[in-house]
Amino acid sequence: MAGLLTPSTRRSRIVLGAGLLGLLALPPLREAMESDMARHMLVQIPLLALCGWLCAPSPATGRNLAGAWDRHGIVGILTANLVAAYWMLPRTLDNTIASAAFEAAKFISLPLLVGVPLRRCWSRLPMLGQGFVVANAVSMLGIVGWLYLAAPVRVCVYYLVDQQEVVGRALLYLAGAITLAVLVRAFVGTAQSSVPFHHMASPQRHPHFDHQGRGSRQ
Amino acid sequence: MARSLAAAMAVIIVAVAAFWSATEGFRVFTTEGARRLDVARSPRPLPAVVLEDQDGRRVGPEWLRGRVVLVEFVYTRCPTLCSTLGEVFGRLSQALPGVALLSISFDMEHDGRAELKDYALRHGADGDRWRVVRPTSGGDLRELLDTAGVVVIPDSWGGYQHNAAVHLVDDRGRLVRVLDFEPLSALIDEVTPWLAS
């Protein structure tokens, strides 16, 4: 699939990813995204990760090195998870608005340490690992969403309390949507298009592991 | 396998360090929490600015010296939080006769002397032990807010939201604590030891 992309599609992915990153970095767009908590957390941050995902080389390239240092893609996915979680802390969200250094760190780390590892490592992650990551994401989104709705105080000094409620509700919806997608996928085998990770996970539908435990795609 | 494990450990170590620094050792998760911790750890003098109270009298830095002062930041049109803060201050002035109270308005455009007077009458500020004031310049206001770590953002109804708290200033004019205004009993317990010294 992705590994078989022709060079021109690969180039267009990079152009798209880099273009999106440049667009998101434009001061007016940054201001528009970050003036609202929901746009900041639910649009800008995922889009920054998407930039890296688009620009990343296909998982098929550099396999030996990746296999040696990150056997099942666990290190990459762990990195992506931790970096994403870091930028979800209310204090770091505030810091990106108050400090240019934090803002730059966000713009660099989300594409490089979330988007790139997601594309490089997701398909190498064993099915069990993928399931764990998705289940973990659902519970984290649910807990954070509920906390934001139930918090008696504003968690971010730069955001209004009503925006916090919008984010809380949106995170709960997102958790619900992912759960639903997983259920649909579990019970309706052919309904691939309704699964959010199908584009990344589909190569794993028939994984083949050799006797040394190294996975390869068929 | 060993190399993957080493890579995973390295990632975890870096992540723990990053989270440790972002949360001050897993103690605070919000900017407000960090501000309170920072003030408690390193008290700082309030800027020496001149304020103007509800009767048009000046309140200089010398007024802060030699007494414990509780400071709140408000805007007088505030329908919710600042009214609560006003009530809390009213109850504090009765519960703690030894403490002085200062309500500072950050809404310089709207809050003139008349508005301050109205706020004072509404909540029972006597103009002596409890004064309602406004800064006399935007620069002074900026300096006050920055020192205290107060962030004011406009809301969608023409008002403001801000990190509301009670700021404890000791007898040397230093901001030493940022405290919750609820529950009142806990606030009184926090302030009382400072009055004795």
Side-chain angles (χ1 to χ4, degrees):
Chain A
M1 214 180 84
L4 303 174
L5 287 176
T6 57
S8 68
T9 5
R10 160 118 185 79
R11 197 171 309 129
S12 59
R13 282 178 66 113
I14 293 178
V15 169
L16 196 64
L20 185 59
L21 186 62
L23 202 65
L24 287 169
L26 288 177
L29 199 63
R30 251 177 45 207
E31 165 80 31
M33 289 281 183
E34 290 169 6
S35 63
D36 180 278
M37 191 174 178
R39 282 198 292 268
H40 192 175
M41 279 184 83
L42 301 169
V43 182
Q44 192 201 47
I45 287 179
L47 281 180
L48 284 172
L50 178 69
C51 294
W53 188 82
L54 284 169
C55 292
S58 123
T61 59
R63 288 211 130 200
N64 292 340
L65 190 70
W69 284 97
D70 186 7
R71 200 144 153 210
H72 298 302
I74 294 171
V75 178
I77 296 298
L78 184 71
T79 307
N81 248 315
L82 289 170
V83 173
Y86 179 83
W87 294 114
M88 293 288 149
L89 286 175
R91 191 184 179 198
T92 54
L93 217 53
D94 271 336
N95 283 347
T96 61
I97 296 173
S99 136
F102 268 91
E103 178 74 337
K106 186 183 78 178
F107 266 77
I108 294 166
S109 65
L110 282 169
L112 214 59
L113 299 177
V114 179
V116 171
L118 270 182
R119 173 149 154 82
R120 297 276 306 164
C121 302
W122 182 258
S123 59
R124 291 199 293 128
L125 198 65
M127 197 78 108
L128 188 68
Q130 292 185 348
F132 176 80
V133 171
V134 172
N136 190 47
V138 168
S139 57
M140 283 310 294
L141 290 173
I143 288 171
V144 173
W146 173 73
L147 272 178
Y148 276 12
L149 276 179
V153 291
R154 284 188 310 144
V155 293
C156 290
V157 295
Y158 288 103
Y159 290 117
L160 301 171
V161 72
D162 30 329
Q163 293 178 0
Q164 185 172 313
E165 284 170 23
V166 171
V167 171
R169 210 163 291 125
L171 289 175
L172 286 183
Y173 288 146
L174 197 59
I178 295 175
T179 311
L180 196 68
V182 169
L183 286 177
V184 166
R185 186 175 157 159
F187 290 111
V188 190
T190 49
Q192 273 204 24
S193 58
S194 58
V195 179
F197 294 115
H198 70 94
H199 53 287
M200 294 189 256
S202 51
Q204 275 287 320
R205 289 181 76 79
H206 304 290
H208 169 74
F209 292 97
D210 62 23
H211 60 281
Q212 290 171 312
R214 273 193 207 101
S216 69
R217 264 190 273 140
Q218 311 244 298
Chain B
M1 187 65 192
R3 276 187 289 185
S4 293
L5 202 62
M9 288 312 292
V11 166
I12 289 171
I13 289 168
V14 172
V16 167
F19 276 90
W20 179 275
S21 122
T23 60
E24 307 290 337
F26 301 105
R27 278 181 295 180
V28 298
F29 296 89
T30 61
T31 308
E32 178 62 7
R35 159 173 96 118
R36 293 178 181 204
L37 192 65
D38 192 37
V39 165
R41 270 200 303 222
S42 50
R44 73 273 323 254
L46 280 188
V49 297
V50 173
L51 306 156
E52 183 192 63
D53 81 354
Q54 69 263 40
D55 300 312
R57 291 173 303 172
R58 92 187 257 293
V59 178
E62 69 286 348
W63 191 76
L64 292 172
R65 303 269 189 276
R67 63 171 99 203
V68 171
V69 184
L70 297 180
V71 177
E72 58 166 5
F73 290 90
V74 295
Y75 67 108
T76 63
R77 290 172 297 148
C78 179
T80 52
L81 224 47
C82 312
S83 294
T84 315
L85 268 172
E87 278 168 38
V88 167
F89 264 38
R91 307 239 292 276
L92 277 175
S93 71
Q94 286 162 8
L96 298 169
V99 78
L101 303 168
L102 191 63
S103 304
I104 303 178
S105 166
F106 51 73
D107 188 4
M108 287 185 57
E109 269 178 43
H110 179 271
D111 288 343
R113 197 182 301 168
E115 284 76 19
L116 299 182
K117 187 84 185 165
D118 179 60
Y119 183 89
L121 288 174
R122 245 188 301 153
H123 295 293
D126 59 4
D128 177 29
R129 240 184 73 224
W130 180 2
R131 305 174 81 168
V132 183
V133 299
R134 62 196 292 271
T136 49
S137 82
D140 287 356
L141 173 63
R142 188 73 272 142
E143 218 183 321
L144 272 171
L145 294 178
D146 284 350
T147 306
V150 173
V151 176
V152 178
I153 53 169
D155 70 13
S156 24
W157 300 280
Y160 299 97
Q161 285 188 10
H162 55 106
N163 33 355
V166 172
H167 304 76
L168 176 63
V169 178
D170 73 359
D171 53 4
R172 285 191 280 162
R174 298 179 314 158
L175 174 60
V176 288
R177 289 286 185 278
V178 178
L179 304 165
D180 273 329
F181 54 92
E182 284 169 333
L184 189 69
S185 56
L187 177 58
I188 291 172
D189 287 346
E190 288 270 8
V191 175
T192 307
W194 293 91
L195 295 172
S197 61

